Each structure stands twice: as C-alpha cells, then as structure tokens.
Amino acid sequence: MTFPVVWIYWAISLTIVTYAAAWMLNNRREYGYAALVAIYAVYLAASQILAARVVEFDIGIYVFIAPAAVFIYPFISQAIDMINEVYGMKRAQIAIFIAFITQVLLVIFFVMTNSLTPAPFFAYEEAWQEIFTFGIRLTVASWISFLITQTIDTRIFAGLKKRYEKRIILRSVSSDAVGLTLDSIIFVTIAFAGVAPLLPLIIGQIVAKNIIGFLDTPWFVWYKKMLEDKPAPPKDQTQ
C-alpha cells in the first residue's frame, strides 16, 4: 500500500469521526461524552495493535522508520483534546482512566485466547505466538507511556485554555507536541529496547507523530467551529 492511499484513508477516517462527534454533541448532547470516550478507546486499541508492524514513513526528503501506529496515535491526542475542550480537564482524566481499563481488558482477552489449544489445521500458530508475545510487551509500554503523556497533555491543554481561550490552534498544537514527543521516547524505549535500534525509531516516531498531529489540527478547529453555536454543557469546577 502506498502512502498516498494511506493519507486518503487517514483523512476520511478523521473526517468521519470529527463530524460524528460534533453531530452527537449538537444533536444528542446527553450521549456526547460517552461517544467521545468510545472513540478515544477505539483509537487507543487500534494504536496498540498496529504498533506491532514497523513501517517506512516517507516525508519526501527523508524516510523514517516507525511503528504503523504513528498514523493513529495522534488521533488519541486529538480525541482527548475534544473531550477536554467541551467537558473540562477532570472529565478528560476520567476518560483516560476508562480507556486504560479497556486496554487492560484487551490484554486479558488476548491471554484468555492464547490459553486455548489451537486447532490442528491452524497453520498460523507460530506467527500468532510471535505477535502475541511481542504484543504484550508493546501493550505494557503503551500503558506506561499512555498514562504519563495523556495526563500531561490534558493538564497542558487545560492550562493553556485558561490563558488563551481563543487560541485554539496554539492550545491543540502545543499540548499535542509535548505529549506526542514524550510518548515516542517512553514507548519506543520500553517496547523495542534490545529488539531494534532505538534512536532511529524514536526519531521516526517523534517526526511522524508530530507531523500527523499538526496535520490533524484543521479537523480540531472544524470540530470547535461546529460546536460554537451550541450551548456548552456544564463543566466540572475542579479544573
């Protein structure tokens, strides 16, 4: 699959999610928070699964090496910003906890499935075991980096919002840049130490995630624009 095709899929998926989230908040406000948390959890699960595949990230002048999850993970930062923007920092932190619990369940389901005896005709057991074994390490790395960086992201975003209410691009880009950079360092170090060269993967992740994180900013601005004419839901006062 070529990268131009990947970018088409990327833009379509981001457009669908952004519009659906804004529509839900505008028309079914009572379900808005649940919908955003569900989107957030799906992004997180997808990023953990896709992280097992290492791909080339071609920016035209240089080709970086990074896990395939770089195309998805910036969506996680955008999703938590979407929650933070509407519901505030405290409920964003609750969303982080809920998403984390879903990932714990995901690992339990993997372990449960792996405890079963494979069918005699299942020809992919060896490949499954390799992916499963490596996947557990990726998941642990993801858990640690996720809890640290998403908490930092929400606090930076909320802090900037207090000072720069109208500067939505500044708030989104700044909080995402810090979170995505830290996530790249923490995740790659834990997940790939002793398995692959760390520095190229860290650099590749930092560059790729921040490029994608910057490119998805117009969708966040669009999301905010679609919500402007609607009354905001009550926020927690303990931000």
Side-chain angles (χ1 to χ4, degrees), residues 166-229:
K166 301 298 183 181
R167 298 184 180 180
I168 186 171
I169 295 178
L170 171 66
R171 293 189 278 116
S172 178
V173 172
S174 298
S175 61
D176 288 356
V178 174
L180 293 173
T181 299
L182 286 176
D183 177 79
S184 299
I185 296 171
I186 296 171
F187 174 76
V188 171
T189 301
I190 298 173
F192 294 97
V195 177
L198 294 184
L199 188 58
L201 282 175
I202 290 175
I203 294 175
Q205 278 227 45
I206 290 174
V207 173
K209 284 183 177 179
N210 278 283
I211 288 175
I212 296 173
F214 178 77
L215 290 177
D216 70 21
T217 302
W219 278 267
F220 185 67
V221 175
W222 179 42
Y223 165 79
K224 176 66 173 176
K225 181 67 176 176
M226 285 189 285
L227 300 179
E228 280 184 349
D229 297 330

Side-chain angles (χ1 to χ4, degrees), residues 153-167:
D153 186 309
T154 57
R155 291 184 178 276
I156 292 175
F157 187 91
L160 289 174
K161 187 174 183 180
K162 290 180 180 179
R163 296 190 61 182
Y164 306 104
E165 173 72 25
K166 301 298 183 181
R167 298 184 180 180

Side-chain angles (χ1 to χ4, degrees), residues 34-228:
L36 287 172
V37 173
I39 292 169
Y40 184 54
V42 168
Y43 279 156
L44 181 59
S47 71
Q48 290 192 8
I49 295 170
L50 295 178
R53 189 181 187 207
V54 179
V55 299
E56 294 181 345
F57 185 82
D58 190 351
I59 61 172
I61 59 175
Y62 193 80
V63 178
F64 293 94
I65 303 298
V70 297
F71 284 97
I72 301 296
Y73 200 85
F75 291 4
I76 297 174
S77 294
Q78 189 198 58
I80 199 64
D81 288 350
M82 292 165 75
I83 295 171
N84 205 342
E85 180 70 20
V86 177
Y87 293 99
M89 186 180 72
K90 186 174 182 179
R91 296 191 73 179
Q93 291 175 323
I94 293 173
I96 293 172
F97 176 74
I98 294 172
F100 176 71
I101 293 300
T102 66
Q103 303 318 297
V104 173
L105 290 173
L106 180 64
V107 171
I108 292 174
F109 295 152
F110 271 124
V111 173
M112 180 180 68
T113 301
N114 203 52
S115 68
L116 300 172
T117 302
F121 57 83
F122 183 61
Y124 307 104
E125 180 62 18
E126 184 177 348
W128 162 259
Q129 290 296 334
E130 290 181 3
I131 294 174
F132 171 79
T133 302
F134 189 46
I136 293 297
R137 181 173 177 177
L138 291 176
T139 300
V140 172
S142 178
W143 284 358
I144 296 172
S145 63
F146 169 77
L147 290 173
I148 294 173
T149 60
Q150 288 294 284
T151 300
I152 292 173
D153 186 309
T154 57
R155 291 184 178 276
I156 292 175
F157 187 91
L160 289 174
K161 187 174 183 180
K162 290 180 180 179
R163 296 190 61 182
Y164 306 104
E165 173 72 25
K166 301 298 183 181
R167 298 184 180 180
I168 186 171
I169 295 178
L170 171 66
R171 293 189 278 116
S172 178
V173 172
S174 298
S175 61
D176 288 356
V178 174
L180 293 173
T181 299
L182 286 176
D183 177 79
S184 299
I185 296 171
I186 296 171
F187 174 76
V188 171
T189 301
I190 298 173
F192 294 97
V195 177
L198 294 184
L199 188 58
L201 282 175
I202 290 175
I203 294 175
Q205 278 227 45
I206 290 174
V207 173
K209 284 183 177 179
N210 278 283
I211 288 175
I212 296 173
F214 178 77
L215 290 177
D216 70 21
T217 302
W219 278 267
F220 185 67
V221 175
W222 179 42
Y223 165 79
K224 176 66 173 176
K225 181 67 176 176
M226 285 189 285
L227 300 179
E228 280 184 349

